[in-house]
Amino acid sequence: MSAPENVIIIGSGPAGYTAALYTSRADLRPLVIEGFIWGGLLQQTTDVENYPGFPEGVLGPEMMQKFRDQAERFGTRFITEDATRVEFSRDGGLHKVWVGDEIHTARSVILSMGAEPRKLGVPGEEELAARGVSYCATCDAAFFRDKPTIVVGGGDTAMEDAIFLSKFASKVQIVHRRDEFRASQIMFERARDTENIELVTPYVVERFEGEEGLKTAVLKHTETDEEKRLEISGAFIAIGHKPNSAIVADQVPTDQNGYVATEGKSTLTGIPGVFAAGDLVDHTYRQAITAAGSGCMAALDAEAYLRDTPVIPEEHYLHHEPVEEPVEAQS
C-alpha cells in the first residue's frame, strides 16, 4: 500500500483537471485517477468556441491536453486507469480508493467522474457523433446556422434546446414518441409557439444516415410503423444524462437521478474530506466552464479541510512506521 495522499481526484475533464491545478499549486501534490478515457466528454468534441480565452476556438481534445499539461506542470501525478472501488471514512480518517487490486489512501478525495448523455442506441448515432449528431445545443447550435435540425425528446431539456436552437437553425423539429409531452406546460408552450419549431409526434428515430456528415433522420410512427424521412443537418439528443456515480452511490448521498448531492453552494458531500464537482453534481448547466469553476471550488474546499483537520497519527502509522529516536549509551 502506498503512502497516504493529501488529495486523490477521481475523474478528469475540466472539473478534475482544474481541481488538480489548484491543489497542486497549493503544494498538495494531488494524485489524479483520470480513467482510461481521460479528458471527459470534451475528448469526444470537435470545435469548442464558447470557452473564454480561445477566441479562434479550440478542439476539445487539444483543450483537455492543455488542462492536463498545466496541472502536471505544478506537480500533479496521474494514473490513467479507472478507479474500481472506494471506501470512505466517516470519522475523519483516511479514505481508500482501489485501482484494480492496488489500494490508495488519502486524507481527502475529490469526485469528478462527470456524466454521460443518454443515447438512442440507433444505427448511425455513434458514427455521426460530432458530425451532425450532438448532445449539447448550447455548445453546438451555432454550427447549424440556417440549417434544418431536429431535437429528440419530450422534457424541459428538449424544449429548452429547441428554443435555443431556433435562434440559429432555419427549422427545428421536436421528435417525440408520444403526443403528450412531459415538459412543464410553460416550456412546452414557449417551444410550440416559436415560429420555426414544429412538433413531430408520435415518432421515434429509427436511424441516422450520412457519410461525411448527417443528412437524414429516418423516423418510425409508433402506432402505424409508417416511415418518415427528414432531411436535416443536425440532430440534438435530449433524453437526459446519466451521472457516472455508480462507484460511490453507496458511499455518498445522491439524488433520485444518481447525481451526487452537495451541501448548499459548496462541494461538500457530507462525508468529511470528500468533495464533488462538475457534471457529477450538475444536472442543469453541464458546461465546460461551469465544471471547471466547480473543480476550483472543490480544490479550495479540500485545501481548507486539510488545513483545519489535524492528521490522525494512528492512521498514518498504518502506512509509516514511526521512527524511534536512538537511545544514547549511558556512561
Side-chain angles (χ1 to χ4, degrees):
M1 186 183 296
S2 58
E5 307 284 350
N6 286 312
V7 184
I8 287 178
I9 299 169
I10 305 176
S12 48
Y17 289 150
T18 302
L21 172 62
Y22 272 77
T23 52
S24 60
R25 290 192 73 250
D27 203 25
L28 296 175
R29 298 195 73 244
L31 175 65
V32 178
I33 303 174
E34 60 182 349
F36 286 114
I37 304 176
W38 57 270
L41 291 176
L42 283 175
Q43 283 288 27
Q44 307 165 36
T45 303
T46 52
D47 296 308
V48 178
E49 296 187 332
N50 58 359
Y51 199 93
F54 296 93
E56 304 302 321
V58 62
L59 294 176
E62 180 185 351
M63 186 166 78
M64 284 300 90
Q65 185 67 61
K66 289 178 181 294
F67 271 51
R68 191 181 191 275
D69 290 347
Q70 190 173 5
E72 189 173 30
R73 173 191 168 196
F74 292 100
T76 298
R77 293 158 297 132
F78 301 92
I79 296 177
T80 311
E81 297 182 53
D82 292 330
T84 53
R85 180 186 164 202
V86 299
E87 185 178 299
F88 296 147
S89 170
R90 295 178 177 271
D91 58 6
L94 291 176
H95 305 295
K96 297 177 182 178
V97 180
W98 278 260
V99 178
D101 295 330
E102 186 177 2
I103 304 177
H104 300 267
T105 59
R107 294 177 61 202
S108 66
V109 174
I110 295 175
L111 306 175
S112 61
M113 294 89 74
E116 294 286 337
R118 296 186 186 276
K119 299 182 178 181
L120 298 174
V122 300
E125 182 178 13
E126 294 286 347
E127 295 83 352
L128 292 165
R131 292 191 295 142
V133 175
S134 174
Y135 301 89
C136 179
T138 307
C139 310
D140 297 335
F143 296 122
F144 299 92
R145 192 178 299 275
D146 300 324
K147 296 178 181 178
T149 60
I150 65 171
V151 172
V152 183
D156 278 353
T157 298
M159 302 303 117
E160 290 169 358
D161 284 359
I163 293 168
F164 186 83
L165 188 57
S166 71
K167 301 174 184 177
F168 301 89
S170 59
K171 184 177 184 179
V172 182
Q173 294 174 283
I174 301 175
V175 178
H176 187 47
R177 63 174 54 246
R178 290 181 290 273
D179 291 323
E180 299 79 24
F181 290 80
R182 65 181 183 279
S184 62
Q185 189 65 25
I186 188 170
M187 289 304 302
F188 171 72
E189 290 176 355
R190 285 177 182 172
R192 182 195 60 192
D193 295 342
T194 301
E195 184 177 357
N196 61 337
I197 292 179
E198 177 186 329
L199 306 179
V200 181
T201 64
Y203 282 91
V204 294
V205 176
E206 276 282 281
R207 63 187 181 275
F208 293 112
E209 297 178 346
E211 294 183 3
E212 297 301 317
L214 177 62
K215 297 297 183 184
T216 307
V218 180
L219 312 183
K220 184 179 75 171
H221 195 282
T222 59
E223 297 170 358
T224 66
D225 289 340
E226 171 199 359
E227 191 172 276
K228 178 190 288 281
R229 299 176 64 87
L230 301 180
E231 302 303 316
I232 58 171
S233 296
F236 291 81
I237 315 305
I239 57 174
H241 284 69
K242 180 182 179 181
N244 297 319
S245 60
I247 190 176
V248 298
D250 63 342
Q251 299 280 314
V252 298
T254 58
D255 67 14
Q256 61 183 1
N257 295 313
Y259 288 88
V260 173
T262 54
E263 299 178 352
K265 294 183 178 180
S266 76
T267 64
L268 281 66
T269 64
I271 308 299
V274 179
F275 310 90
D279 288 3
L280 185 68
V281 304
D282 177 16
H283 50 75
T284 303
Y285 301 105
R286 293 194 295 268
Q287 299 297 302
I289 192 168
T290 53
S294 67
C296 167
M297 293 167 58
L300 297 177
D301 285 343
E303 184 181 354
Y305 171 81
L306 293 172
R307 180 190 65 226
D308 298 338
T309 306
V311 174
I312 300 176
E314 293 78 4
E315 289 275 4
H316 281 252
Y317 289 163
L318 291 175
H319 309 274
H320 298 292
E321 290 298 327
V323 178
E324 295 185 4
E325 293 294 328
V327 179
E328 296 183 1
Q330 295 185 9
S331 55

